[in-house]
Amino acid sequence: MHGYLGQGGRGELTKMCDLVWHVMGRHGILSLAGASDGARAVARRVIGVWLSLVEHSVRDREVDGSNPFTPTTSPLRRHPARVPAFTLIELLVVIAIIAILAAILFPVFAKARERAKQTACVSNLKQLGIAMISYADDNDDHLPPAEKLRSSTPTLPTALPNVLNSFVKSVEVFRCPSDSNNQRFGGTFWPTILWQSYGLSYSYNSAPPVNPPPHDQWLVYWRGGRTRSEFKNPTATGVLSDTNPWHRYTDTSGSSASMAQAGYNVLFEDSHVKMLIGADRDTAMQAAP
């Protein structure tokens, strides 16, 4: 040991330990009067360590000026130690590392978030497929007739969400989580969020729900109003699909070439959902029953 205890050497330490024992014994804290030499040696070491800790604590308080008992002039005072700090270069390196990690991780997080939205969209379409089958079971096997998307509104009784209202738990299933900023897909006539304007994010081709033409004059791509038995290939016939390619589209030009490579979630007549690219989606949605 050094410092306060180091000035007197081992003899001073022994005297200080004996003083501590005497004070502790006098006040009934600890008595080693009858202890063996070995016990006293061990105790001396323990008290010596404790005194050393006290010395360091006092010295630290001298450095920051918080010890009111330290004399203003003392040969035992030490020069204040310099507090370690980051240099400007070290801070810049840390900032650069954080920026690099952010640049790497943010795209990963964005892809994971978009993947979650696509999964929610698939779930919505599957629930709508079950709702359509339930509607058909209650209406002589007919799929629900409804307004075309752009002539629909959330309050129109013949809008698909209102036609299927009693067969779904929430109107939120008619909304794709990624339905937003639709002008980027080249259709400036689209509102920003289709679901807000039309009550529906998905495309559904249907015979007019009011005063439809004779059945033999129906367009081949009409789904709503037909019986399920009319569909000869239900696994390849699309019924509902994303109106825009929210989940697979990286080009913001809206060009025909970029749209041809875009992907759409499609609900088929047998209630399975699959993502199709460009022309394949059009083929499924426009195929004859």
Side-chain angles (χ1 to χ4, degrees):
M1 287 189 297
H2 50 80
Y4 297 117
L5 301 180
Q7 300 298 320
R10 185 179 299 275
E12 290 296 327
L13 174 61
T14 302
K15 291 179 181 179
M16 192 171 294
C17 291
D18 291 338
L19 177 60
V20 172
W21 291 336
H22 174 71
V23 173
M24 295 176 70
R26 183 175 181 181
H27 291 275
I29 300 174
L30 178 64
S31 177
L32 295 175
S36 65
D37 291 340
R40 294 172 65 87
V42 172
R44 182 177 292 109
R45 285 182 175 274
V46 172
I47 295 176
V49 172
W50 173 73
L51 291 174
S52 178
L53 294 175
V54 171
E55 175 193 16
H56 286 290
S57 176
V58 171
R59 186 185 304 146
D60 292 342
R61 298 190 67 182
E62 286 177 357
V63 171
D64 62 17
S66 61
N67 186 1
F69 303 105
T70 301
T72 56
T73 59
S74 171
L76 302 177
R77 296 195 60 175
R78 299 290 187 270
H79 291 292
R82 294 185 61 185
V83 179
F86 288 112
T87 65
L88 178 59
I89 296 300
E90 290 172 332
L91 289 175
L92 292 176
V93 169
V94 171
I95 293 173
I97 292 174
I98 293 174
I100 293 172
L101 291 175
I104 294 173
L105 294 177
F106 282 176
V108 175
F109 292 152
K111 289 181 180 179
R113 183 169 58 251
E114 183 52 43
R115 182 65 178 174
K117 290 181 178 180
Q118 181 184 354
T119 301
C121 181
V122 170
S123 175
N124 287 349
L125 286 171
K126 287 184 176 181
Q127 292 182 64
L128 291 177
I130 295 173
M132 287 185 170
I133 292 175
S134 299
Y135 177 96
D137 290 341
D138 290 351
N139 291 273
D140 297 325
D141 204 36
H142 287 81
L143 292 180
E147 293 288 341
K148 293 186 297 183
L149 181 67
R150 294 183 61 190
S151 60
S152 177
T153 65
T155 58
L156 192 65
T158 51
L160 184 63
N162 296 322
V163 174
L164 293 178
N165 181 59
S166 59
F167 299 95
V168 296
K169 294 182 179 180
S170 170
V171 295
E172 288 290 332
V173 299
F174 295 96
R175 179 181 186 177
C176 175
S178 296
D179 176 6
S180 64
N181 191 20
N182 287 280
Q183 288 82 3
R184 74 185 187 276
F185 300 112
T188 56
F189 50 85
W190 289 123
T192 299
I193 299 176
L194 306 186
W195 184 78
Q196 286 183 345
S197 299
Y198 306 137
L200 185 65
S201 296
Y202 306 109
S203 294
Y204 180 58
N205 293 323
S206 171
V210 180
N211 300 320
H215 191 278
D216 58 0
Q217 298 178 19
W218 284 17
L219 299 175
V220 294
Y221 57 79
W222 281 356
R223 308 315 192 202
R226 295 185 184 275
T227 61
R228 296 187 64 205
S229 59
E230 290 183 58
F231 296 93
K232 307 305 180 185
N233 191 3
T235 61
T237 305
V239 177
L240 276 175
S241 77
D242 292 338
T243 301
N244 284 316
W246 294 298
H247 310 296
R248 189 184 184 277
Y249 187 75
T250 57
D251 188 348
T252 58
S253 67
S255 65
S256 57
S258 63
M259 295 298 290
Q261 297 302 313
Y264 303 77
N265 285 332
V266 178
L267 167 69
F268 289 85
E269 204 280 325
D270 68 341
S271 295
H272 86 275
V273 178
K274 183 179 181 181
M275 176 172 283
L276 298 180
I277 305 303
D280 294 336
R281 174 256 191 178
D282 296 338
T283 298
M285 293 300 295
Q286 297 176 11

